[in-house]
Amino acid sequence: MATASDPYGHRRPASPGAGTDTAVPGSSGGPPPPEQADALLQFLHNLKAAPRRMFRSAFRSGAPTTDRTRSTFVFGNVFLHLHSVRTHRWSLRWSTTLGLGIMTASAFLITLVTGVMLMFYYKPYPEAAYQSIKDIHFVVPTGRFMRNIHRWAGNVMVVAVILHMARAFYTAAYRPPREYNWLVGLALLVVTLGLSFTGYLLPWDQLAYWAITIGANIAQSPREVTDALGITAWFDPGGFQRLLLLGSDEVGPEALIRFYLLHVMILPLVMAALMAVHFWRIRKDGGLARPKDADQRLPRSEREQTYPVFTEAPAKTYQLAAIVRGRTPAVGDGPENTVPSMPHLFYAELGVMMLTLLVCVALALVSDAPLKEIANPGVPENPAKAPWYFLGLQEIVSFSAFMGGIAIPAIVILGLALIPYLDRETDGTGEWFGGPGGRPLAAMSAAVGLGAAVLIEAFAIRFGWLREWFPAIPQLVVTLVNPGTLITAVYAGYSIWCIRRYQSGRAGALALFTCFLMGFVVLTIIGTHFRGPNWDFYWSPAHWPGH
Amino acid sequence: MTVPSRPGRSRLDPEPISRRDWLGLSSLWAMGGALLFGFIGMIRLPKAAVLSSPSRKFRVDLPDTLATGQPYVPPGRAVAVYRDAAGVHAISLICTHLGCIVRPTAAGFECPCHGSHFAADGSVTRGPAPAALPWFKVSVSDSFVTVDEGTTVPTGTMEG
C-alpha cells in the first residue's frame, strides 16, 4: 500500500548494496555464514562488508522510502531532529514564511564557512590587519571572492532577519505558545547586528577606525546624562562600557583584538546556541503558526495530494501525548494534512539555501567589498558613514548620542519584546495582517510612520533644532527633545490611539511595528543618500563639495 | 490529661522538608554560590587595570611665526595650541559628541562626523555635541610649551 500511494515513485528497495536491508534496521547483512568457514574466510568477508556496515551503522534507518523510515530519518539524526517528523501543508506554502528564516540561517552558514577561510590569513593587529586584508584582496587565491561572499552574506543576513521578523509579526506568529521564540528571535536580531558591526571594524581602514571610535563613544554616551546631572565622578557607566569595549582609553591594538574576539568567537557561539533554541522551539511550539481553519483553507488540490498517514502500523503510539500539556502538536489533533518532512520540508529548505548561496555569490561577483585607506587617527573620514543598516541609527545619533545610540534602541527592543505579552488576542493568528484593523490599518500606519518621520526630519533639516535657536539651552533639554525622541513619541502616541480606536492590543502592536519599520526605512534612506560631508543635507551625493 | 508536645512524624505527615532534601538543596545553592563567586572574580579580567596609552603630557615647540588666533596642531595630537598677547592656551580637538577630530575654521571648529560647530573658545554653537571642547593645562617655559591632556582648566585660562 505504501508503494502504491507514494506520489514520488519510490518503490520498496530492490537494488543491491546499502539499501538492501533497510526493512530490518541493525541486522548484520551479508550472506549467511557458511557452516565450515574458517576464521580467515570470515575475516575476509567482514573486511569486504566493512564499508557497507560502517555506512549502515551511521545511518541506521536506511533509505527514507517508507513513512516509517522517513520518520526515523528525521528523529534518528541529531541535526535533522530539530524538525518535526511531519510537516503541515500550511507551513510549506510559499506565502506562510517566504523562506526568510531559512534564508537567514543559510546566510549565517555561508558567513561561517567563508569567515573561517578568511581567518587563515587575517592578523588582528592594527597595521598587520590592514595589510592582511590587502593580501586577501589582491594576493590570496580566491581571497577577494571569499571576502566578497562573506560581506554580501552578512548583508543578506541582516536584510533577511529583519524581513523574517516582519513576517513573524504580520502573521501574528508571536502569540502563545510562541512568545518565547519571539524573544529568542529578537536576541538573534541583536546578535546579527553585533556581528555585522564587529566585522565591519576588522579591516582597520579609515571607515573601520572611525566606526570603532563612534561606536565606543556611543557606549560612553550615558555620560551625556551623568555629566548634565553632575554625577559622573561617582557614577560613570558610560566610561566603564567604553573601557570594557576598548580595553584602553584609546582605539588601538587592545580594541581591535576585542572586536576580533567578539566577531569570531563570542558572538558566533551565542548565535549558534540561540539558533539551536530558536529552531528547536519551532517544533516544540507545534510547528509554524497557522490559522485555526488552515485545514479547510488549503486548496482542494493540495488537500487531495495528502495520502493517508498511517500506511503501516505505527511504530510508536500516541500514548505519550496523554501526559503532555495542552497545545503541543499531537494533542487533540490528528496528523491529517501533514506530509513527511523528508523529503517535502528538507527539499524546500535546501532550495532556499541554494537560492541564498546563489544570491551571495552573484553579488560577490559584481561588487567588491570596500577597503579604504589605512586607519589615520588624526583625520576622520568625511562623511564617516557606518554600513547602511546602521545609518538610520547614525541619523538619530546626530541629534543626541545617548538618546539615539542607547535610549531609543533600548526602548524599541523593549517595545518589540513586550508585544507578545501585551497582545493576548487569538483572532487572526497565522494570517497575513490578521487581527482587528488588518490590512487597512497596516496601510494607514505605514502612511503615518512615513509621514511623521519625513516631516520631523524635513523640519529639522530646514529650520535646525533647539541649539541653533537658543544657544544657552541646557543639554538635558536637547537630549530629551530632539527629532529622534519626537518621532518615537509620535509613534507611541499613535499606537495608543489605535488601541482605543480599535479596542484591540493587536491593532496597537500592528500600528507600532509598522511605524517602526517605516521609521527605520526613512532614517536609513536619509542617512545613506541625503547626508554628505559634515552630515549636512544634500539632495544627491553628486552635489557633495570636493575635498 | 497529657498532650504530646511534639507529635511524631509519619509517612503521611512528613517533616516540612526532609533532611535529605535539605542537604541536596543546600549543596545545589552552595554550588551556585561558588560558581557565581568565581564568575565575579573572572569578569574582572577584561577590565584593564593598567592602560597602555602614551603619556598625556607632551612638549610643544611653537613656531616663531605663529600668528594670533592661528592654531598650531602638534603632529599626532588632537590639540590646537594658540598664542596671543594674553598668553598661550590649548583646546582639545576631540568632538564631545562621538570622538571625531574637529577641524579649526575661521569661526571656531567644525566636526565632520555629525555637524557640530564650536565657537573659537570651544563652546557649542550648533549640532549634537553635549559639551564645550575642553581647555587643557599649559605650562610655558623659556623655549617650549608643555600641554597636559590629562588636566582640563576652565575656559579662558591663559598661561605665560
Side-chain angles (χ1 to χ4, degrees):
Chain A
M1 185 177 168
T3 319
S5 54
D6 189 330
Y8 295 91
H10 296 307
R11 273 176 294 135
R12 291 297 285 274
S15 57
T20 320
D21 299 323
T22 45
V24 197
S27 73
S28 59
E35 278 172 32
Q36 295 95 7
D38 64 356
L40 192 62
L41 267 179
Q42 182 65 47
F43 171 77
L44 285 175
H45 167 72
N46 286 349
L47 192 65
K48 209 175 120 218
R52 181 159 37 96
R53 286 178 180 164
M54 212 179 269
F55 181 84
R56 209 174 299 142
S57 67
F59 304 99
R60 284 188 292 204
S61 62
T65 46
T66 67
D67 272 10
R68 184 187 291 172
T69 48
R70 279 179 185 149
S71 301
T72 48
F73 185 81
V74 179
F75 69 69
N77 180 308
V78 67
F79 304 107
L80 294 182
H81 95 288
L82 286 174
H83 298 84
S84 73
V85 162
R86 302 187 66 85
T87 306
H88 197 278
R89 279 203 171 275
W90 189 271
S91 305
L92 289 173
R93 313 181 77 202
W94 273 109
S95 59
T96 305
T97 62
L98 307 173
L100 290 165
I102 294 294
M103 185 174 273
T104 313
S106 311
F108 178 68
L109 287 181
I110 296 170
T111 54
L112 206 66
V113 173
T114 50
V116 169
M117 301 309 276
L118 295 175
M119 283 173 71
F120 274 96
Y121 288 98
Y122 179 75
K123 301 169 194 69
Y125 197 81
E127 306 287 314
Y130 184 76
Q131 299 304 337
S132 63
I133 295 285
K134 251 188 160 170
D135 280 351
I136 288 170
H137 200 88
F138 291 109
V139 182
V140 173
T142 76
R144 182 192 305 200
F145 193 38
M146 287 299 142
R147 178 163 177 256
N148 290 349
I149 296 176
H150 189 74
R151 183 251 188 163
W152 276 114
N155 276 284
V156 166
M157 192 175 169
V158 172
V159 175
V161 77
I162 292 171
L163 292 178
H164 173 62
M165 180 169 77
R167 192 285 296 175
F169 177 82
Y170 284 119
T171 56
Y174 54 78
R175 284 177 177 164
R178 298 181 180 78
E179 319 102 297
Y180 181 71
N181 225 11
W182 172 261
L183 292 188
V184 177
L186 208 53
L188 282 167
L189 172 74
V190 173
V191 176
T192 304
L193 293 177
L195 274 168
S196 306
F197 182 62
T198 51
Y200 187 74
L201 306 171
L202 300 183
W204 204 253
D205 59 353
Q206 272 290 70
L207 279 190
Y209 183 88
W210 291 103
I212 301 193
T213 305
I214 290 175
N217 281 295
I218 286 177
Q220 194 188 36
S221 66
R223 274 197 185 167
E224 190 178 312
V225 176
T226 53
D227 275 347
L229 299 173
I231 54 171
T232 306
W234 302 283
F235 179 68
D236 184 18
F240 177 72
Q241 288 188 81
R242 181 184 148 98
L243 183 61
L244 211 57
L245 208 55
L246 294 187
S248 165
D249 50 10
E250 52 189 34
V251 178
E254 299 291 342
L256 182 55
I257 200 94
R258 278 175 193 227
F259 280 98
Y260 178 69
L261 181 67
L262 282 171
H263 187 72
V264 306
M265 182 58 72
I266 297 175
L267 292 179
L269 282 179
V270 173
M271 188 86 172
L274 288 175
M275 278 169 86
V277 175
H278 199 62
F279 298 161
W280 179 71
R281 271 281 181 148
I282 297 173
R283 199 188 94 190
K284 288 283 144 186
D285 294 341
L288 302 181
R290 57 176 176 271
K292 273 188 231 109
D293 54 348
D295 289 339
Q296 287 78 52
R297 288 167 60 162
L298 280 173
R300 206 169 182 75
S301 58
E302 281 189 38
R303 263 188 281 161
E304 282 167 358
Q305 278 175 23
T306 315
Y307 54 95
V309 171
F310 293 120
T311 52
E312 299 174 24
K316 285 195 175 179
T317 68
Y318 275 80
Q319 277 179 353
L320 195 61
I323 56 165
V324 180
R325 220 155 48 86
R327 289 182 190 253
T328 48
V331 175
D333 203 5
E336 301 310 328
N337 266 325
T338 63
V339 290
S341 297
M342 172 69 206
H344 296 79
L345 175 62
F346 296 154
Y347 279 27
E349 290 184 350
L350 287 177
V352 174
M353 199 177 279
M354 290 311 287
L355 181 72
T356 313
L357 187 59
L358 176 76
V359 169
C360 295
V361 169
L363 287 168
L365 284 171
V366 294
S367 163
D368 277 349
L371 185 65
K372 298 256 178 179
E373 312 85 71
I374 194 165
N376 179 354
V379 183
E381 277 279 299
N382 192 6
K385 287 200 179 187
W388 64 266
Y389 34 83
F390 285 123
L391 285 182
L393 209 58
Q394 201 173 337
E395 176 64 22
I396 51 173
V397 161
S398 78
F399 304 120
S400 157
F402 174 69
M403 273 298 162
I406 292 189
I408 293 177
I411 291 170
V412 166
I413 288 172
L414 186 71
L416 290 174
L418 280 177
I419 284 177
Y421 300 95
L422 299 181
D423 168 19
R424 307 297 285 181
E425 295 159 30
T426 53
D427 199 20
T429 303
E431 286 172 57
W432 278 93
F433 305 103
R439 229 171 269 264
L441 174 59
M444 181 168 82
S445 307
V448 170
L450 211 62
V454 169
L455 284 180
I456 293 173
E457 276 284 333
F459 179 85
I461 288 168
R462 178 72 184 78
F463 299 107
W465 203 251
L466 295 169
R467 176 97 62 204
E468 282 92 312
W469 311 329
F470 317 104
I473 197 163
Q475 177 57 32
L476 268 185
V477 179
V478 181
T479 300
L480 285 175
V481 184
N482 63 56
T485 57
L486 218 56
I487 292 174
T488 314
V490 169
Y491 288 174
Y494 168 71
S495 307
I496 290 168
W497 178 80
C498 280
I499 295 177
R500 279 188 54 145
R501 162 83 174 69
Y502 291 89
Q503 287 300 307
S504 153
R506 166 69 178 167
L510 204 60
L512 188 66
F513 188 84
T514 311
C515 282
F516 156 71
L517 273 190
M518 286 300 135
F520 178 79
V521 170
V522 170
L523 293 174
T524 304
I525 290 176
I526 291 178
T528 310
H529 189 74
F530 294 108
R531 291 295 188 178
N534 295 353
W535 211 247
D536 285 334
F537 180 85
Y538 292 92
W539 283 107
S540 151
H543 301 159
W544 291 7
H547 292 282
Chain B
M1 197 170 112
T2 54
V3 179
S5 56
R6 277 173 97 194
R9 301 267 174 202
S10 73
R11 220 160 58 80
L12 296 175
D13 179 25
E15 304 171 55
I17 177 166
S18 74
R19 180 161 31 159
R20 190 179 287 262
D21 285 354
W22 188 87
L23 284 173
L25 276 179
S26 53
S27 57
L28 270 183
W29 278 105
M31 186 190 82
L35 287 180
L36 185 70
F37 187 71
F39 181 73
I40 289 172
M42 206 175 72
I43 56 168
R44 289 181 58 220
L45 184 142
K47 187 179 177 295
V50 177
L51 303 181
S52 61
S53 32
S55 168
R56 316 212 66 189
K57 207 168 176 179
F58 57 95
R59 177 181 146 163
V60 181
D61 295 305
L62 288 179
D64 296 332
T65 54
L66 190 67
T68 299
Q70 196 188 344
Y72 174 72
V73 180
R77 298 278 176 177
V79 173
V81 187
Y82 295 85
R83 181 169 57 194
D84 52 32
V88 178
H89 67 277
I91 298 181
S92 164
L93 292 183
I94 296 176
C95 183
T96 51
H97 179 227
L98 290 176
C100 292
I101 309 291
V102 299
R103 203 175 46 238
T105 60
F109 307 90
E110 279 178 26
C111 181
C113 288
H114 301 100
S116 291
H117 287 203
F118 302 86
D121 67 347
S123 56
V124 190
T125 54
R126 213 196 94 174
L133 297 173
W135 286 39
F136 291 134
K137 184 170 162 48
V138 176
S139 4
V140 180
S141 78
D142 302 343
S143 56
F144 59 86
V145 169
T146 310
V147 177
D148 181 4
E149 283 182 308
T151 315
T152 56
V153 294
T155 298
T157 311
M158 296 291 184
E159 201 61 51

